[in-house]
Every structure is written in C-alpha cells, then in structure tokens.
Amino acid sequence: MATVDDLQFEEFGDAATSLAANPDVTTISIEDPGETPKHHPGPPRSPGREEDDELLGNDDSDKTELLAGQKKSSPFWTFEYYQTFFDVDTYQVFDRIKGSLLPIPGKNFVRLYIRSNPDLYGPFWICATLVFAIAISGNLSNFLIHLGEKTYHYVPEFRKVSIAATIIYAYAWLVPLSLWGFLMWRNSKVMNIVSYSFLEIVCVYGYSLFIYIPTAILWIIPQKAVRWILVMIALGISGSVLAMTFWPAVREDNRRIALATIVTIVLLHMFLSVGCLAYFFDAPEMEHLPTTIATPNQTVAAAKSS
Amino acid sequence: MAEAAESPGDRGRASPRPLMRDLKAVGKKFMHVLYPRKSNTLLRDWDLWGPLILCVTLALMLQRGSADSEKDGGPQFAEVFVIVWFGAVTITLNSKLLGGNISFFQSLCVLGYCILPLTVAMLVCRLVLLAEPGPVNFMVRLFVVIVMFAWSIAASTAFLADSQPPNRKALAVYPVFLFYFVISWMILTFTPQ
C-alpha cells in the first residue's frame, strides 16, 4: 500500500538510500546520454577556447564517440557493413556540398557536417562527375578552339576519360590515405586533441573536389586569363576548406611541421587542378594566329637591325 | 505471358516456341519502355536478353574502324560494352547500398532496357550523318539526342524511383542521369570516317 512518503518525488541521488531502506524495491534509473559529459568535466573553459570548442564540437564529442562505437557493428564481409557508408539523405548530401562551397572561417567541415557519419556516396559520385566533366569540357574546348582550322579533324578523344578517371580517383584515395598515415604517425609522437578517421578524410577530400566541376565546365572559355582566375578561385575555396579542416589536427604539433603539412595539402590540390588544365585543355592559341602571319617580316627586320 | 507447357517427354525436342516466347517478352518490354506507364512488367519478369541486344547494337554502331583506333578516336566495341555494363552494375550497387528494395537483376534489366531510346537516337544519327555535314546536321542530331536522353531518363525513373525511400530518391536517380548523359555524349560525338 503506497504511503504519502512513497508518493513523494525522490531525487536521483536518493536511489541508494531508498534501496537501503527497501532492499526488495527495484529502482529504475534512466540516464540521458547527453548528461554523461557532465560526469567527465573537460578542461576549465576559458573564453579563448570557446572557438576551439566550436571547432572541435567538444559539447557533443563524447556523444558522437558513443554513437560511432555503436554504428559499424556488422563484419566487413556483409553487405550491411558497406550500407553504413551510404547512410545519408538527400538534404545531408546537399548540406555537405554547400559546406564545401562556402568555407566559413572557424567552422570545421568534419565536425559541422560529417559528425561521425562519413559517407562514400559523395566522394564517389563527385569524382565520377568530375572525371566526365573534365573529359567532356576538354573535348568541347579543343573543338571550339580549333574550329575553322582546315586541317583539324574532330576526334572524341575517348582515351582521355580513362586517364582522367585514374588521376582523379587515385588523388581522392591515395592522398587521404597518406595524410591519414602521416597524422596517425604524428599522433603517436604528439598528443593531438583532434584526430580524424580515414573515412572522414576521404569524405572531406571528396566534397572539396566539388568546386572543380563548375570550374571544369567554365574552363571551356578559351581565354587564358579567365582560366587562371578560375584556378585561383577554385583553389582558394577548396584549399581553405581543407586547411581549416586539418589545421586543428596539426596545431598541437611542432609549428614547422604543422605549416608544412598545410602547405603540402594545398600544393597537392594545386598540382591536381593545374595538371588537369594543362593536360585536358589545349592552350587557346587562336588569338596568336593572326599575329604569326604578320611577324615574319618584323622578326626579319628585328634580326637585321640587332 | 503464354507458358509453353512441356511434359518431361518433350525435353529432347528442340522447339521454336520458347524462342518465340522470349522474343515476344523482349518486344513487350520494349513497348513498355517506349510508352512508360507505371507497371510492374519490367520488374516482375526481368530478363537480360533485351539489354544485351541493345548493348551489342549500340556498340556495333559506335565503334570505329581500326585505322584510327590508336589516335584518340571514339570508343571501341569493348569499351562501349564495358561502360554500359559496368555503369549499370555501379548504379545498381549504389541503389542497393542506399537502401533500395529492388533486386540486382531487376535493376540491371530496367537500366538496360531504357537504353532503347538512345539506340534509336544512334540509328537516326547515323542516317542523318549520311547527308552533308554542317551546322544544320549537327542541330538535328543534337535535338534527337536530347529528346531521346530525356525519354530514357523518364522511362528509367518511372520504374526505379519507387524502389527508394522518399528522402533518397534524388541520390539514386542522379547516377542514372550521369549514365545516360555519358552514353548520349558518345552518340552525339560520333563522327564517321
């Protein structure tokens, strides 16, 4: 029979005392997972570290670790294991693409958008689209540049698709792999607060390549200045996404190594874009063509006078 | 679909009826692709004969002579074959990984059959290319390819979109768009010797 005392709301901490009073009573304690960080207070938060918390997402890092441990439970030879890498909705993919196009200073792409749910859908299909965008745009651009030349016979240049595919997919997998290995190695020497899993790095690289799709299409314009401006813009945007993502991971390290890492990341990105521009897109020589007809006389005159 | 009821004693006899039955089934699916409605025929009674016929036809029409095969020409027969089947398998895997409830071969069947409008476009382009070249020639081919491309996408989306959960439909349909776009590009850029 319930007495008035039993009907009173009991505090959480009184479970032990009520258990001591009535050993036969079963007490059910329901813990909110969000409350667990309170039991492990982090380092005292000074105002200067608030932006770090935003970058690192310390307020939910414990929860995300909890969730990450629960996610991939299927063995790797089952189909369900690979389905966990495609567990994204349409709006999530759009959000991630938007995040790669608009790098906001101080916002970490991984913590803000990926949140321990790295997907392989984005990187794979962005790379596939980029391969065809580069190959088709290069073909179109060459066609437009050489249009009107009597000796030019149009060829679809189909071989270049396989070359583009090899380059892009190799970049999208091997660079993250080496970066991840490097970060793991530095982690063993210097304790970093932030560390990324291999899939998160692949994800960041894949989404950072998205800006090159409209860039490749705009490279059809046969003007050198326009093309180089596009290279700079694309490199600026995707390079800053990568730099802001990986800066927290190397910041604790030796300053020289940290800077060298970031510079290498941006340099590799630049080599990819400049290399693709140089290989797939012919130089627009059309504007030089009228002058080369006129210059033989001038060069002869210049040679005589010198 | 009429089932040829064979008794065990008929095994030794090579009968033409199953061939006619299969051809009729293939033809019926062609009609379903050309006039796409919401029906389950393509999914329920899938077969891969139609896609094979279409792929071989397309590859034969797209291949070039061996003269300029080394010089960055168009795709060879094997390349078209590989692109079509590898592309279809990749899209099917993608659709299943995203959580679609369509079977592997059903999806291959739908993607293969929906190449039919683009094969028709290839036929038309080859005929148009017999006329004299020029911008008008190109415009006609461009128009035909665009229309057939849209038709392929509409046909395949009508069959495939229902198998995906609603919040991932766009993610499953985009690779189909890319696949038919690449095939359309190969058809449009085909130049005869």
Side-chain angles (χ1 to χ4, degrees), chain B residues 10-142:
Chain B
D10 288 342
R11 286 281 161 81
R13 185 169 54 121
S15 63
R17 278 217 63 191
L19 178 65
M20 283 310 300
R21 181 191 69 192
D22 282 340
L23 281 177
K24 271 194 198 160
V26 168
K28 192 167 162 192
K29 292 202 194 52
F30 280 166
M31 284 299 123
H32 274 276
V33 170
L34 285 179
Y35 305 106
R37 313 180 278 276
K38 295 261 175 178
S39 96
N40 275 340
T41 311
L42 236 69
L43 293 178
R44 211 176 43 223
D45 307 316
W46 62 266
D47 73 89
L48 291 178
W49 285 113
L52 186 66
I53 296 172
L54 287 171
C55 185
V56 167
T57 313
L58 193 61
L60 277 175
M61 287 196 285
L62 270 175
Q63 72 161 348
R64 312 181 57 79
S66 57
D68 62 352
S69 60
E70 295 90 23
K71 273 200 274 179
D72 275 345
Q76 293 296 309
F77 179 90
E79 283 173 340
V80 177
F81 219 79
V82 161
I83 284 185
V84 169
W85 287 102
F86 188 67
V89 166
T90 309
I91 296 176
T92 306
L93 278 179
N94 175 71
S95 171
K96 287 189 76 69
L97 283 168
L98 281 172
N101 58 3
I102 194 172
S103 99
F104 185 77
F105 288 108
Q106 281 174 346
S107 173
L108 280 187
C109 169
V110 168
L111 288 168
Y113 268 103
C114 291
I115 296 183
L116 176 64
L118 286 171
T119 312
V120 169
M122 183 74 223
L123 272 166
V124 171
C125 281
R126 278 216 100 145
L127 289 173
V128 170
L129 279 169
L130 292 176
E132 59 174 79
V136 176
N137 192 307
F138 176 73
M139 283 298 154
V140 170
R141 283 186 291 138
L142 180 67

Side-chain angles (χ1 to χ4, degrees), chain A residues 88-247:
Chain A
V88 278
D89 293 336
T90 310
Y91 78 91
Q92 280 176 310
V93 173
F94 280 153
D95 273 346
R96 292 175 186 192
I97 291 178
K98 207 176 46 165
S100 78
L101 289 176
L102 305 168
I104 306 174
K107 298 280 188 201
N108 186 334
F109 182 81
V110 175
R111 283 289 170 256
L112 197 56
Y113 291 104
I114 298 189
R115 285 180 179 276
S116 288
N117 185 21
D119 69 301
L120 285 180
Y121 177 91
F124 183 79
W125 288 110
I126 289 177
C127 288
T129 313
L130 186 59
V131 164
F132 289 113
I134 287 186
I136 292 179
S137 302
N139 196 234
L140 257 181
S141 149
N142 293 349
F143 171 71
L144 288 175
I145 286 177
H146 297 290
L147 192 62
E149 283 177 20
K150 290 201 171 29
T151 56
Y152 178 71
H153 177 66
Y154 170 76
V155 284
E157 290 177 322
F158 195 71
R159 289 273 178 278
K160 294 203 167 172
V161 173
S162 30
I163 297 173
T166 314
I167 296 175
I168 305 266
Y169 274 103
Y171 180 84
W173 279 95
L174 292 180
V175 173
L177 185 65
S178 43
L179 186 60
W180 175 74
F182 175 76
L183 288 178
M184 285 293 116
W185 175 60
R186 293 311 300 175
N187 250 353
S188 66
K189 305 225 163 163
V190 176
M191 201 53 220
N192 277 327
I193 298 181
V194 177
S195 67
Y196 299 123
S197 72
F198 170 60
L199 280 173
E200 286 173 343
I201 301 183
V202 168
C203 213
V204 173
Y205 262 89
Y207 280 103
S208 74
L209 285 176
F210 180 82
I211 183 71
Y212 286 113
I213 297 176
T215 309
I217 297 176
L218 286 176
W219 273 342
I220 295 179
I221 301 174
Q223 296 287 334
K224 255 200 164 123
V226 171
R227 286 182 178 178
W228 280 100
I229 291 175
L230 285 168
V231 168
M232 290 297 137
I233 294 176
L235 189 63
I237 292 180
S238 60
S240 59
V241 168
L242 289 176
M244 283 193 290
T245 303
F246 289 107
W247 180 246

Side-chain angles (χ1 to χ4, degrees), chain A residues 46-75:
Chain A
S46 56
R49 288 191 70 85
E50 269 177 4
E51 66 158 55
D52 299 349
D53 291 339
E54 246 187 1
L55 273 176
L56 306 179
N58 262 343
D59 49 347
D60 63 341
S61 62
D62 284 356
K63 180 159 73 173
T64 50
E65 274 177 34
L66 202 66
L67 289 176
Q70 290 170 350
K71 263 178 55 119
K72 301 170 179 51
S73 51
S74 314

